[in-house]
Amino acid sequence: MDIEELIKNLKEKRQEIYDQMDKMLNLADSEKRDLTEEETGKYADLERSYDKTSGEITKLEEQLKRKKELNTPDKNVFPENSVIEVNDPNEFRNLGEFLYSARFNQSDPRLKELRAEQSMGEGTAGGFMVPTQFRSELLKVDPQSAHVRPRATVIDAGTPPDAEITMPSLNQGSSSNM
């Protein structure tokens, strides 16, 4: 049973409880009397049940709201300020539009001049060069979005280009009896 159906069932249950409470009050009112001791106890039980059901509904509605928020795509991946005003129809408006075309619409005529052929035997399966107007956006690094580097042991390279690094190791081969 999904959350929405559970919420619907609980709301129906709460309505039934309310109807019972209302019926008790209307009966006593029509007879021009107060609730009896037995009715007062039953009414208090119904109130507790009503409040408990309302609490469960509230929790489930909050859970459903969170679930919908998590499943809603983030529309701010490429904020409005990243849209570039273009007069030429052969240019992309933003990086997202370029990436979408490169991934899903490789027949887009705007990609023709951006096709990059790579060596190493790949031929024309190389890829696409990113348009220069998006370079600054690509080079932005948000420190909060780094996931690996803050947890990694960073080893300085020393003198470029290929500095030597000594790393201790353990030989676990059969000849070393380990």
Side-chain angles (χ1 to χ4, degrees), residues 17-35:
I17 295 169
Y18 175 81
D19 291 341
Q20 289 178 10
M21 293 168 64
D22 192 48
K23 185 178 177 182
M24 288 177 73
L25 291 175
N26 288 337
L27 177 65
D29 192 43
S30 67
E31 295 176 356
K32 307 260 192 259
R33 63 175 175 83
D34 289 335
L35 294 175

Side-chain angles (χ1 to χ4, degrees), residues 26-155:
N26 288 337
L27 177 65
D29 192 43
S30 67
E31 295 176 356
K32 307 260 192 259
R33 63 175 175 83
D34 289 335
L35 294 175
T36 64
E37 238 180 83
E38 182 182 327
E39 288 174 329
T40 304
K42 187 174 180 184
Y43 190 85
D45 290 342
L46 288 171
E47 274 185 323
R48 282 190 291 277
S49 182
Y50 183 90
D51 292 341
K52 181 181 175 189
T53 306
S54 293
E56 290 174 11
I57 291 170
T58 302
K59 286 179 188 175
L60 288 172
E61 286 174 339
E62 288 173 6
Q63 183 179 354
L64 181 63
K65 179 183 171 190
R66 286 187 203 106
K67 182 179 179 182
K68 286 181 180 179
E69 285 175 2
L70 289 173
N71 292 332
T72 302
D74 188 3
K75 294 180 182 175
N76 293 326
V77 173
F78 296 104
E80 289 302 316
N81 62 0
S82 72
V83 174
I84 299 171
E85 291 294 327
V86 291
N87 297 326
D88 186 2
N90 293 328
E91 290 185 15
F92 294 99
R93 293 182 316 127
N94 60 28
L95 182 61
E97 191 175 71
F98 164 73
L99 293 174
Y100 181 85
S101 292
R103 172 64 177 97
F104 298 109
N105 186 16
Q106 294 184 6
S107 62
D108 189 331
R110 297 177 290 182
L111 292 173
K112 184 178 180 183
E113 293 185 22
L114 298 173
R115 192 170 296 279
E117 294 189 25
Q118 297 174 337
S119 58
M120 304 296 289
E122 291 298 320
T124 58
F128 299 97
M129 294 184 290
V130 177
T132 55
Q133 67 260 33
F134 303 126
R135 180 175 182 198
S136 62
E137 194 171 339
L138 278 176
L139 294 177
K140 279 193 247 175
V141 177
D142 183 16
Q144 285 80 17
S145 67
H147 296 289
V148 177
R149 188 167 173 88
R151 294 173 179 85
T153 302
V154 180
I155 301 172

